[in-house]
């Protein structure tokens, strides 16, 4: 029987982009567009800037493009950035989801 382990960490910062790193070989990256929006908080309409992740175009980068390729460099930098967040400001997600 196959076994899988998952670790989840969170941080309080705002995300301005999507980043997926798959099997340490492929990275998909896209910027979140920022758009004006109105929300209601405590009965009052407030104008905000909203990050629209659903509208992000993802760009693919792969180590399979060659060791010195821009794709391989992009994957390496994405992994380094992720690890730096995970190991510094990331904290374990508690069972209550906080």
């Amino acid at each position: 029987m196959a076994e899988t382990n998952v670790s989840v960490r969170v941080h309080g910062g705002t995300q301005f982009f999507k980043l997926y790193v798959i099997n340490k070989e492929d990275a998909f990256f896209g910027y979140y567009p920022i758009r004006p929006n109105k929300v209601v908080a405590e009965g009052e309409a407030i104008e905000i800037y909203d990050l629209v992740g659903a509208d992000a175009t993802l760009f693919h980068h792969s180590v399979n493009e060659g060791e010195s390729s821009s794709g391989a460099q992009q994957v390496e930098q994405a992994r380094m950035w992720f690890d730096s967040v995970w190991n510094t400001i990331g904290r374990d997600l508690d069972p209550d989801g906080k």
Side-chain angles (χ1 to χ4, degrees), residues 17-61:
F17 55 87
K18 285 185 184 184
L19 173 63
Y20 301 98
V21 179
I22 311 293
N23 295 327
K24 300 180 180 179
E25 295 182 357
D26 293 280
F28 296 87
F29 179 86
Y31 295 100
Y32 287 169
I34 300 173
R35 303 227 165 75
N37 194 3
K38 290 184 182 177
V39 296
V40 177
E42 297 181 6
E44 182 180 343
I46 301 171
E47 293 188 15
I48 65 166
Y49 290 104
D50 204 355
L51 298 163
V52 187
D55 291 345
T57 299
L58 295 178
F59 297 93
H60 177 235
H61 305 280

Side-chain angles (χ1 to χ4, degrees), residues 6-94:
V6 176
S7 297
V8 177
R9 300 196 90 185
V10 296
H11 66 83
T14 299
Q15 292 304 119
F16 288 98
F17 55 87
K18 285 185 184 184
L19 173 63
Y20 301 98
V21 179
I22 311 293
N23 295 327
K24 300 180 180 179
E25 295 182 357
D26 293 280
F28 296 87
F29 179 86
Y31 295 100
Y32 287 169
I34 300 173
R35 303 227 165 75
N37 194 3
K38 290 184 182 177
V39 296
V40 177
E42 297 181 6
E44 182 180 343
I46 301 171
E47 293 188 15
I48 65 166
Y49 290 104
D50 204 355
L51 298 163
V52 187
D55 291 345
T57 299
L58 295 178
F59 297 93
H60 177 235
H61 305 280
S62 178
V63 299
N64 297 324
E65 296 170 13
E67 189 175 304
S68 62
S69 70
S70 63
Q73 293 173 27
Q74 191 74 18
V75 172
E76 165 121 7
Q77 290 299 307
R79 290 177 55 208
M80 286 173 49
W81 176 86
F82 178 87
D83 289 343
S84 72
V85 172
W86 184 272
N87 293 320
T88 57
I89 61 175
R91 63 186 186 282
D92 290 333
L93 182 66
D94 72 29

